[in-house]
Amino acid sequence: MRANPIFILFCLVLLVACTDGRNAVKLHTSQIFVFGTLVDITFWDVDEALRERVVAVISQDFQRMHHEWHPWNPGPLLTLNQALARGEAAEAPDSLIPLIIQSRDLSAQSGGLFNPAIGSLLQLWGFQSSERPQGPPPSAEMIAAWRGQAPAMTDLELDGRLLRSRNPAVQLDFGAYAKGYAVDVAISHLQQRGIDNAIVNAGGDLRAIGSKDGQPWRIGIQHPQGEQEKLYAWLDVSAGEAVFTSGNYRRYREDQGIRYSHILDPRTGMPVDGVTSVTVIHHSGAIADAAATALVVAGPEQWEATALAMGIDQVMLVDDGGVVHMSPKMQQRVHFQDAPAVLKISEAFADEP
Ligand code: AMP
Ligand code: MG
């Protein structure tokens, strides 16, 4: 594990604000606090009454998802996980069923690198907590014991709403993908009400529909330089695209100068090492979110094969050495503020349309 990497990318994707007077009148942003983050909903040319109505609906829906999907606060997911640990079948709440089905497929595509069945490992590492975990990491024996149980989404059987697990070590935690799923739900609420031009930005992860004044939405990618945040790159986001970033810069465990990532490798039970961040663009927020996490686990050696297996062709991976790895489609649209010292364009995607 590298201590204090010199180059820490902070991929907080922010809207590049537009400031001219006419835009200021038609551009509005509402904020909701949920999932431990501020969610900005930015509208282009939508009247106030409609904005207020849709923000109220999205807010209510987000709060419900937050409660029903929370892995450690009392609620339906915790109850479900407790039943699975006892080896019992239990009814999954309606809102969890599509998550279980889709994340099972995504987990399979990622070769198990994205694995929402690793709740007990996240708990072992102290990441199922609102506080930053303190103290030494779990012992090698505890991690080996977890590895021996190898919980996976393939252990689950869903029969209607009835969920059972062949493996009592399966504990569901959708932290790597629920935000993407929720952003998709919010976009559907907007579209159902005839709103065509908006961005839903959940703490830097976002999905955009339509455009702003006929122009694509332009978003910035930032990273800190000392105490300052500096614009790192920008790109235009077209209709319906989601941009999701996973990384170690916001959540981690630190002990004796060693930083442990909150993204864990299900093959080893250990935090991922060597990747600062991965940004993925895809038309689905849920898929982009799951893939960004999977590609952090895949790392500089395996990200291309994993992306191809997951149907992802727009990726930027920044490794701990500051080397920027990109798929050609991503490279075509990202504009760096200062060119990275080392940029590697993948050839694995060369024959992709
Ligand atoms: P994200 O910020 O989307 O990459 O999600 C990171 C969160 O996903 C972590 O804080 C954990 O709750 C969870 N997680 C960590 N590693 C994995 C993994 N390999 N597969 C699925 N979820 C994970
Ligand atoms: Mg993710």
Side-chain angles (χ1 to χ4, degrees):
M1 184 71 49
R2 256 178 86 111
N4 301 321
I6 297 162
F7 179 79
I8 301 174
L9 177 71
F10 187 70
C11 264
L12 177 64
V13 184
L14 293 173
L15 280 173
V16 175
C18 55
T19 48
D20 74 76
R22 196 168 62 94
N23 280 355
V25 174
K26 292 193 171 181
L27 196 66
H28 295 98
T29 299
S30 301
Q31 288 191 322
I32 304 169
F33 186 78
V34 68
F35 302 122
T37 189
L38 270 180
V39 179
D40 281 358
I41 305 176
T42 301
F43 301 89
W44 172 257
D45 200 12
V46 178
D47 81 68
E48 188 178 359
L50 181 54
R51 276 188 273 123
E52 281 177 2
R53 275 203 306 279
V54 75
V55 169
V57 170
I58 292 171
S59 176
Q60 205 176 25
D61 220 8
F62 276 8
Q63 303 298 348
R64 182 186 54 77
M65 293 176 207
H66 183 61
H67 169 66
E68 293 186 355
W69 301 348
H70 205 289
W72 64 86
N73 283 351
L77 182 56
L78 189 67
T79 306
L80 184 66
N81 276 333
Q82 286 166 343
L84 296 180
R86 291 193 299 267
E88 293 169 7
E91 286 211 339
D94 285 341
S95 74
L96 271 177
I97 291 173
L99 266 77
I100 294 168
I101 294 171
Q102 190 188 25
S103 70
R104 194 167 55 183
D105 291 345
L106 291 167
S107 184
Q109 287 169 20
S110 74
L113 301 187
F114 162 67
N115 181 356
I118 65 166
S120 49
L121 184 67
L122 290 165
Q123 195 177 31
L124 204 60
W125 277 94
F127 289 122
Q128 285 195 339
S129 164
S130 311
E131 308 296 318
R132 178 167 292 167
Q134 305 283 337
S139 68
E141 289 75 23
M142 288 164 95
I143 294 166
W146 180 87
R147 251 193 344 253
Q149 298 175 308
M153 293 302 281
T154 46
D155 293 324
L156 291 174
E157 263 174 45
L158 187 64
D159 182 6
R161 291 181 56 190
L162 205 61
L163 186 71
R164 57 168 60 82
S165 174
R166 283 181 285 269
N167 182 346
V170 167
Q171 292 285 282
L172 295 171
D173 183 318
F174 296 104
Y177 138 98
K179 204 207 276 181
Y181 190 95
V183 165
D184 288 343
V185 170
I187 292 285
S188 305
H189 280 305
L190 298 172
Q191 288 171 324
Q192 278 162 22
R193 285 158 185 81
I195 296 171
D196 298 324
N197 302 305
I199 292 198
V200 179
N201 181 344
D205 294 319
L206 59 88
R207 187 167 162 206
I209 48 171
S211 55
K212 186 188 83 239
D213 203 13
Q215 301 295 317
W217 294 97
R218 180 159 294 181
I219 60 157
I221 300 176
Q222 305 211 342
H223 76 92
Q225 288 219 325
E227 295 298 299
Q228 301 286 314
E229 272 169 29
K230 186 169 176 253
L231 187 66
Y232 180 67
W234 58 268
L235 62 116
D236 288 338
V237 185
S238 17
E241 283 181 319
V243 185
F244 273 70
T245 298
S246 279
N248 302 326
Y249 40 87
R250 277 184 235 167
R251 292 196 72 202
Y252 50 84
R253 179 185 186 119
E254 201 159 13
D255 182 55
Q256 301 194 355
I258 302 174
R259 219 172 242 211
Y260 299 96
S261 167
H262 67 122
I263 299 174
L264 305 177
D265 186 336
R267 297 167 297 189
T268 60
M270 295 297 291
V272 169
D273 192 10
V275 175
T276 300
S277 76
V278 171
T279 301
V280 167
I281 304 180
H282 192 266
H283 59 78
S284 149
I287 296 174
D289 195 357
T293 308
L295 297 181
V296 169
V297 182
E301 302 300 325
Q302 290 175 327
W303 71 270
E304 293 150 300
T306 308
L308 288 167
M310 297 186 82
I312 304 291
D313 60 5
Q314 298 187 58
V315 186
M316 174 166 73
L317 181 151
V318 184
D319 70 28
D320 269 1
V323 177
V324 179
H325 307 252
M326 284 176 132
S327 63
K329 274 197 183 171
M330 187 66 123
Q331 190 225 352
Q332 280 158 24
R333 56 193 299 190
V334 168
H335 304 268
F336 289 99
Q337 195 71 359
D338 300 308
V342 187
L343 180 62
K344 284 190 176 170
I345 307 304
S346 168
E347 290 176 8
F349 300 83
D351 298 326
E352 293 292 299

